[in-house]
Amino acid sequence: MLIGINCLLDAIKYADHSYNIDLITRAFEFAKECHSCQKRLSGEPYIIHPINVALILINLGMDTNSVVAGLLHDVIEDTKISKDDISEKFGADIALLVDGVTKLSNVPLYTKEEQHVENIRKMLLAMSKDIRVIVIKLADRLHNMRTAQAWSEQKRRDKSLETMEIYAPLAQRLGMRTIKEELEDIALKYLDPVAYEEITQMLQKQELNNSIYLNNETYIEYIEQKVFNKIKNIASNAKINGRLKSHYGIYRKIYINGKDWEEVFDIYAIRVIVNTVSECYNVLGAMHEIFTPIPNRFKDYISTPKPNMYQSLHTTVIGTGGIPFEIQIRTFDMHYIAEYGIAAHWKYKQGVQSDGLEKRLSWIRRIIELQQESDTAEDFMQSIKTDIGSEEVFVFTPNGEVKTLPVGSTIIDFAYSIHSEVGHKMIGGKINGRIAPIETKIKTNQVIEIITTKSANHGPSRNWLKIVKTSEAKHKIKSWFKKEKRAENIQEGMTEIKREFARNNINLTENELQVFLDSIAHRNKFNSIDDFYAAIGYGGIVVSKIMPHIKDAYSKYKNVPTTPKQNQSARSFSPSSGVIVEGIEHCLVNLAKCCNPIPGNSIIGFITRGNGVTVHKTICPNILNTQKDITQLDKFIPVHWANSPNNRYISSLKILAQNQDNIVAKITSELASLNITINELNAKFLKNNNVSIVFSIWISHVSQLKSITQKLKKITGIISIDSQN
Ligand code: MN
């Protein structure tokens, strides 16, 4: 194998700071000797792995000792060498790092819950002692994931899950974007290969749509060139970088947030890196001159940095060919922090990062403390996931003390972060001196004051459990209810179960109910139905979470399908869709995605098994087709529009126009003047020098389409306008 010490020395040549080459060479020789009999699963010599881990660390800009520890990280684990041997040969600091990584290695994070939690605790403790341990561990995991092909399928899935749930969020939390994205993309490929493939294909399809620019790469190059020409005189030495959004970034929007492919409109991103802050703003102005900005998509993280110290200007514009993309503009310093996060600390030894380091690590200590109070392993896991996964806000107590809380935290979370008693006795809160509702989300830099009562029997409200963000607050509220209110908890749990059962059409006689609930309670490891009710009451169990199981058990018990029950005199109104359904009470209503009905259209409902009523246009091809099938006829149900003018619906306009200057801009500004919000637009340039533009817009009634069409027809160059409704 050709890979050896030379590739490390090469990387060091291009590094920004100096390394102790002698020490690194010694460590390499030593590791090579120790691992000489070992091979990786792929059949390659083992030393390839430590070399690659060291390489990743050099590229991150980590210090000599981290790189040396990277080379030696598997030596204690796999050979007869001890921590003391390493200490003797390479010094105590390196020995501690290697030992820290060794303790983390091969502690599988996905094992039995109990042991699993213990392992995570070990990891956090190692981190709080020396954060370099976790950076080395991340480099180790990254190289293992890069070469995961050699593992068995089961091992690939286990390691990918662990990567997705623990390591990628850790990297994110430490601000290490490059590592985080690569980990996520590899893990996604193994966890959801079908979706991964779908995204790859969608990106290729996007290429076909862009066929005038050949493919995604040439399109990005074309835009880069255009940007370069525009700014070469205002920002010398600017670096311009275009890229496609990561697979996982797209996955999150589509599969997790439920957006349509068409809504993910910034799959391209261009990054412009310049020397000074004033150049950033100049470049921004220049970009808005050559591309049309999309309203409300501009963000200034330079004047207001994110809590993890990320700084940049973001804007989304419509590029050549009507294709939108995001532009990020920042200085080289900001860029380094954005890419390497906590690792930037070792790069800029003096100043810049050292202050942030302490703050960045305070959450680790908080999690460790919390762990000592958690009821169950599952609780603790949940808190790790929320607390590691989210970014932070920094707020102040009236005395000027800083509190760090996850983004989305409320005044209630803040109160509990001070002390349980402050939370329990809270009756109100102030933000910057003004009374604010206690569910208000707090923002960085605010001063928060909590108003408490002395009354002895005052306590938190159960509703708070649905409002609070931090696991700390949730935990403290739950413990209060658990301790103080068993009888009430049972009552509350019983009511909650009855309500949920009614909503889900679970109908049982009193006797059946006892039998049924008894089995559910036991399956969830409770000794009695009362214990089960009590757990629901204090929030230890969330009914909606176990509902799918209960429904399953119920259909087996009753052996009936879970279809809504019809009843002549009943009706229900769904405010979100603005539709009234005749003949069913309390049902879920969805507007069909195939025909997007809008008030003014004639509509009909279709009962779907277990999923409420879907509303289609009466002329929807899917409906016309289904109506031919006699067996389906009893699933149709009359529906009609309620008069709710505040609801808004997606509709679309297809416009054919001559391809002349600014035609897209003219149309968008006309729509803006009519107060129409554009959800999305897609332009396609045709060979005959026309352009076809599809707008998806928000409207409240079909009649609006007429006036929009009339207005738009007056623009010169428009050939035809078609609307879907
Ligand atoms: Mn390793």
Side-chain angles (χ1 to χ4, degrees):
M1 274 295 138
L2 294 171
I3 179 161
I5 183 75
N6 284 340
C7 69
L8 291 182
L9 299 180
D10 269 357
I12 286 172
K13 259 186 235 155
Y14 295 100
D16 294 334
H17 58 91
S18 58
Y19 282 94
N20 183 339
I21 292 181
D22 186 45
L23 191 62
I24 290 175
T25 311
R26 267 206 304 129
F28 166 76
E29 294 298 343
F30 183 72
K32 195 174 152 192
E33 180 63 36
C34 292
H35 292 299
S36 60
C37 306
Q38 278 175 283
K39 290 211 180 322
R40 304 198 80 211
L41 279 177
S42 61
E44 298 162 307
Y46 195 85
I47 188 70
I48 300 241
H49 170 62
I51 290 176
N52 273 289
V53 172
L55 253 184
I56 294 170
L57 292 167
I58 292 171
N59 289 333
L60 282 171
M62 296 301 288
D63 62 349
T64 295
N65 284 5
S66 304
V67 173
V68 169
L71 282 168
L72 302 175
H73 81 270
D74 278 333
V75 163
I76 297 184
E77 174 81 36
D78 297 341
T79 70
K80 288 191 180 113
I81 308 298
S82 71
K83 182 180 166 190
D84 291 340
D85 297 336
I86 292 187
S87 184
E88 213 169 279
K89 285 197 165 61
F90 297 97
D93 185 48
I94 289 171
L96 272 175
L97 289 176
V98 175
D99 188 50
V101 178
T102 306
K103 284 190 176 134
L104 294 184
S105 295
N106 283 354
V107 268
L109 297 179
Y110 273 86
T111 49
K112 274 190 232 131
E113 290 271 286
E114 297 302 321
Q115 193 194 341
H116 174 150
V117 168
E118 182 51 28
N119 292 338
I120 289 185
R121 204 181 62 84
K122 274 189 200 150
M123 181 162 85
L124 292 167
L125 277 172
M127 283 171 71
S128 63
K129 279 190 198 130
D130 191 331
I131 197 72
R132 286 176 299 174
V133 169
I134 210 71
V135 176
I136 298 165
K137 184 67 199 164
L138 283 169
D140 176 37
R141 174 52 58 104
L142 180 58
H143 183 245
N144 282 332
M145 290 300 287
R146 279 179 185 168
T147 52
Q149 207 54 48
W151 289 336
S152 71
E153 194 185 325
Q154 186 59 46
K155 184 165 179 190
R156 275 202 303 258
R157 287 193 61 86
D158 290 350
K159 294 281 174 187
S160 296
L161 196 60
E162 192 180 88
T163 300
M164 201 60 114
E165 297 222 303
I166 308 285
Y167 288 101
L170 267 178
Q172 146 105 1
R173 200 49 207 252
L174 300 175
M176 306 169 77
R177 190 192 65 84
T178 52
I179 304 265
K180 173 203 152 228
E181 280 188 1
E182 193 178 344
L183 285 174
E184 283 171 346
D185 274 10
I186 302 173
L188 178 64
K189 191 165 84 187
Y190 296 125
L191 286 173
D192 195 342
V194 175
Y196 188 89
E197 183 54 32
E198 238 171 74
I199 291 170
T200 310
Q201 281 181 8
M202 285 193 280
L203 286 171
Q204 274 163 7
K205 212 173 104 204
Q206 185 82 12
E207 288 196 346
L208 295 180
N209 289 340
N210 293 345
S211 53
I212 37 172
Y213 303 102
L214 297 172
N215 58 38
N216 288 330
E217 270 80 48
T218 43
Y219 178 70
I220 290 171
E221 272 169 36
Y222 174 81
I223 294 286
E224 282 173 356
Q225 192 57 44
K226 199 167 164 168
V227 170
F228 174 76
N229 290 338
K230 179 71 187 174
I231 66 168
K232 61 183 176 214
N233 295 325
I234 53 173
S236 51
N237 299 325
K239 223 175 112 196
I240 301 164
N241 252 322
R243 65 185 193 107
L244 278 173
K245 220 188 191 76
S246 75
H247 271 59
Y248 187 67
I250 295 169
Y251 182 86
R252 243 197 352 236
K253 292 204 166 172
I254 296 183
Y255 296 85
I256 301 180
N257 298 338
K259 298 207 169 168
D260 287 337
W261 175 249
E262 286 72 25
E263 290 173 79
V264 185
F265 57 84
D266 46 358
I267 65 162
Y268 302 103
I270 300 282
R271 191 173 290 140
V272 184
I273 308 167
V274 295
N275 286 321
T276 64
V277 170
S278 67
E279 280 177 357
C280 289
Y281 289 96
N282 290 341
V283 168
L284 176 75
M287 292 300 96
H288 286 180
E289 266 171 47
I290 52 172
F291 303 115
T292 314
I294 296 179
N296 299 327
R297 298 275 304 181
F298 169 65
K299 290 195 189 88
D300 184 348
Y301 295 120
I302 290 184
S303 63
T304 334
K306 286 193 190 179
N308 67 1
M309 277 164 282
Y310 175 86
Q311 288 187 293
S312 231
L313 298 176
H314 287 190
T315 181
T316 306
V317 299
I318 298 171
T320 313
I323 301 163
F325 60 88
E326 186 180 68
I327 305 178
Q328 304 175 347
I329 306 162
R330 54 201 186 219
T331 65
F332 286 95
D333 285 355
M334 295 171 189
H335 180 62
Y336 203 83
I337 292 171
E339 296 285 288
Y340 303 115
I342 201 124
H345 172 74
W346 284 272
K347 179 164 171 99
Y348 297 120
K349 278 242 156 114
Q350 58 275 52
V352 199
Q353 281 293 298
S354 32
D355 209 28
L357 191 66
E358 259 306 294
K359 278 185 190 163
R360 278 189 186 194
L361 299 182
S362 62
W363 59 272
I364 300 177
R365 272 189 289 281
R366 241 193 5 244
I367 294 181
I368 295 172
E369 280 162 23
L370 183 68
Q371 193 261 333
Q372 279 138 17
E373 308 170 9
S374 290
D375 283 357
T376 62
E378 198 191 332
D379 259 12
F380 179 60
M381 273 318 291
Q382 204 45 53
S383 57
I384 295 270
K385 283 177 203 159
T386 10
D387 288 357
I388 292 182
S390 52
E391 293 183 281
E392 291 175 327
V393 290
F394 298 102
V395 291
F396 299 93
T397 66
N399 303 330
E401 192 191 330
V402 185
K403 288 275 165 195
T404 328
L405 292 159
V407 166
S409 296
T410 60
I411 296 183
I412 311 176
D413 292 290
F414 176 84
Y416 279 102
S417 79
I418 297 178
H419 195 279
S420 318
E421 280 309 302
V422 177
H424 297 335
K425 297 279 175 248
M426 173 170 61
I427 48 170
K430 287 184 184 174
I431 295 181
N432 297 336
R434 287 189 175 192
I435 298 272
I438 54 174
E439 66 270 21
T440 310
K441 292 191 173 134
I442 55 178
K443 296 195 186 114
T444 289
N445 275 337
Q446 288 175 333
V447 178
I448 318 282
E449 189 181 338
I450 302 298
I451 307 163
T452 54
T453 170
K454 292 218 165 71
S455 150
N457 38 20
H458 188 271
S461 147
R462 282 178 208 278
N463 279 335
W464 293 2
L465 285 172
K466 293 180 195 132
I467 298 168
V468 296
K469 165 88 180 177
T470 54
S471 38
E472 186 182 12
K474 236 174 239 168
H475 176 75
K476 287 176 175 171
I477 297 168
K478 281 186 209 163
S479 342
W480 189 87
F481 278 106
K482 197 170 158 188
K483 251 188 258 159
E484 309 275 323
K485 309 270 168 179
R486 174 151 168 111
E488 237 176 68
N489 289 336
I490 293 175
Q491 196 55 46
E492 178 76 21
M494 200 186 291
T495 319
E496 172 87 17
I497 277 284
K498 286 208 168 126
R499 187 164 54 225
E500 284 297 313
F501 276 23
R503 232 165 55 91
N504 288 283
N505 290 307
I506 295 180
N507 297 312
L508 294 162
T509 64
E510 201 54 40
N511 277 341
E512 287 174 328
L513 190 69
Q514 289 306 313
V515 177
F516 183 63
L517 278 179
D518 201 51
S519 80
I520 299 279
H522 278 103
R523 192 187 304 181
N524 285 283
K525 307 208 167 55
F526 290 96
N527 291 326
S528 69
I529 300 181
D530 272 2
D531 285 354
F532 178 60
Y533 281 149
I536 295 169
Y538 76 79
I541 282 197
V542 180
V543 180
S544 59
K545 265 198 200 151
I546 56 169
M547 213 52 213
H549 284 301
I550 295 185
K551 269 159 91 173
D552 239 31
Y554 177 71
S555 349
K556 276 182 203 136
Y557 188 76
K558 280 280 191 180
N559 202 15
V560 291
T562 45
T563 307
K565 283 219 162 141
Q566 293 191 48
N567 159 359
Q568 288 304 321
S569 62
R571 65 177 352 210
S572 65
F573 170 54
S574 142
S576 62
S577 61
V579 170
I580 292 171
V581 180
E582 298 290 350
I584 300 183
E585 249 176 320
H586 311 299
C587 76
L588 195 64
V589 177
N590 293 303
L591 297 179
K593 286 242 165 70
C594 51
C595 55
N596 289 326
I598 286 174
N601 293 144
S602 151
I603 48 176
I604 187 158
F606 186 78
I607 302 174
T608 53
R609 197 186 137 124
N611 202 19
V613 169
T614 309
V615 175
H616 294 259
K617 288 188 207 163
T618 46
I619 54 163
C620 170
N622 288 336
I623 286 299
L624 294 176
N625 241 329
T626 316
Q627 277 168 337
K628 289 180 198 147
D629 181 354
I630 299 176
T631 63
Q632 301 283 316
L633 283 185
D634 60 337
K635 296 198 179 148
F636 287 96
I637 184 161
V639 293
H640 50 88
W641 295 106
N643 197 5
S644 40
N646 290 331
N647 280 12
R648 295 194 317 158
Y649 304 83
I650 292 265
S651 179
S652 69
L653 290 174
K654 191 169 178 186
I655 299 176
L656 185 66
Q658 289 161 5
N659 180 16
Q660 30 172 268
D661 269 357
N662 290 332
I663 187 80
V664 177
K666 278 181 194 159
I667 299 171
T668 47
S669 69
E670 192 62 48
L671 288 172
S673 76
L674 289 165
N675 265 332
I676 300 295
T677 310
I678 299 172
N679 175 49
E680 199 216 325
L681 77 81
N682 252 309
K684 191 169 181 176
F685 291 82
L686 308 172
K687 291 217 173 75
N688 58 6
N689 204 34
N690 286 341
V691 53
S692 151
I693 316 157
V694 179
F695 283 92
S696 135
I697 52 176
W698 291 98
I699 61 172
S700 56
H701 193 274
V702 77
S703 62
Q704 263 177 300
L705 284 171
K706 225 181 233 163
S707 52
I708 295 171
T709 311
Q710 276 168 1
K711 265 273 173 93
L712 291 183
K713 274 199 174 142
K714 291 185 187 141
I715 300 174
T716 20
I718 300 255
I719 300 167
S720 69
I721 304 177
D722 274 325
S723 71
Q724 185 198 26
N725 293 82

